[in-house]
Amino acid sequence: MKLQAKKLGQILLARGVVSDGDLEKALAEQQQTKGFLGQILLRRGVIKKRDLAEALQDQLGVPSVELSDVAIPAEVAAYLPENMVRSYRAVPFEVDGGVMNVAMADPLNLTAIESMRLVTGMDVRTFFAPEEDVLLTTNKLFDGRVAAYKAIEDTSAMGDDSEEPITVTELERMVEDAPVVRLVDSIVQGAVTGSASDIHVEPREHGVRVRYRVDGILYDMMQIPKRLQSAVISRIKIMAGMNIAERRLPQDGRISVGVNGGDYDLRVSTLLTVFGEKVVMRILDKSSVLLQLEDLGFLKEQQRLVESLISRPYGMLLATGPTGSGKTTALYTALNRVNSEDRNIVTVEDPVEYQLVGINQSQVNTAANITFARGLRAILRQDPDVIMVGEIRDLETAEIAVQAALTGHLVFSSLHTNDAASALPRLLDMGVEPFLIASSVIGVIGQRLVRVVCRDCKTSYKPAPELLDDLGIPDDQRSDDMMFSQGEGCPTCANRSYRGRTGVFEVLRMTDGIKRLVMAGQSAIEIRDAAVADGMVLMRQAGLDKVLDGTTTPEELIRVIHVEED
């Protein structure tokens, strides 16, 4: 497989559709994820579907198929079980005599081909189709909501709409019924295949609403009858190792599941509301955490600055932004970049979201009185070279982190502030001495996540002057050939016009001038202005660059960053 992937890369190089640098990055990701090289290049936007199809035709004589143009009969789709279709990314679309034609995202997967031959008793003829097309077709054939509503139909004899409380014994019986199990499984399955980051199960007065958060936005997905509320929520709680008899106090738990051949952790939280317990499940894809700085969305000059900061032998680098702005991913990426055999890297997190190879990760445990501060003290006795503190929440943690940075350790951490400049006054407000901040902090990264325009339905348009005014683009930066991008909506993006997100950053470097401002207790505005004078690109400008190059839309930029005139 490795030799074949290398040949594919050579073919694409010879065709001039990839550069040596792009191929090298994709091969590095392939070595880490064990994925198909062609799919990695597609996902990175380096090549187009046609490029890969033509290269595979040259390499192996594997033809391609456009699944959107094929009507797949139900009896053909039924030849393979859903778990095999999803696991192998392989969709049967036609049977010709004793031969089954199968569209595969990885037509080089001989194990999958042999398994399909054994299951069906037919010869298998493979065709290439991009992974996103295979998944889209699979979701149509085995739609999660269809499975959920079928499971709901099968529960018609269970429970009723009365207000009588259900006993724990009755709940234990209900949650093991096959329809309830299928219903919860289909909710999780639909969220993972739909690239959701969170699942919200919300009791209402006359039913239960299920919503998915996709690319930062919540979407209504389905309604569950009120009679199934207790059974569904209790099923989730049992899977997460929670106490189903406790319905008043908030609980936290974790579920590990395998979906579509991938491993996922669900971080589960319950909260009692007026109409019952609300459940939120955060989906953590063990294979999706970005571990290359190039993938995060930094501008070139910002990336160079971050690389220089994390190559320092000691000092503290902070990541700032609201919840859900990608701080953890940025910190993990920095850790991965500095990870080497000659360094002892230790973290204290709340909780550990992703497990990183070669890094010693520990977790806050309030029940055992292991706080960030206590965990950090213990880390300092572990002979660390690099330390990551998930978040600085109080003066005690801040002071220990600062002392660690001053005594020869490289420290990464995060703060909840709106921008990079506000992090320094925030430390002052916590009670950290100004001279300690000036001496320990080497830089601050401020960030947000913006949605990316869907590549499959992307179109260009000429912006109106009023829109340019709203974005604060000065006249001398406007031109007649200036074009913006937007999505029209298509099956690939579920008609949302966006697919995926990227980061928008500002990187503050602690200069002598900014140190003097911190020592004088100056405001975030004065620190920001000084950083801009030193060359810092504000998030607003970084976002505008992504609008101008067609990565995102002006509406998305305004939604996330609230572009304003100074």
Side-chain angles (χ1 to χ4, degrees), residues 403-417:
Q403 288 299 328
L406 290 173
T407 53
H409 304 91
L410 185 60
V411 180
F412 299 145
S413 192
S414 70
L415 276 174
H416 283 284
T417 62

Side-chain angles (χ1 to χ4, degrees), residues 45 48 451-461 483-493 496-499 545-553:
K48 294 181 170 60
R451 291 180 292 172
V452 174
V453 177
C454 175
R455 293 199 308 269
D456 287 0
C457 60
K458 187 176 185 177
T459 60
S460 299
Y461 69 97
M483 301 293 287
F484 288 175
S485 295
Q486 62 184 7
E488 293 186 327
C490 68
T492 301
C493 62
R496 293 174 181 139
S497 302
Y498 300 93
R499 191 159 181 261
D545 286 357
K546 291 186 183 293
V547 170
L548 293 171
D549 68 14
T551 299
T552 191
T553 65

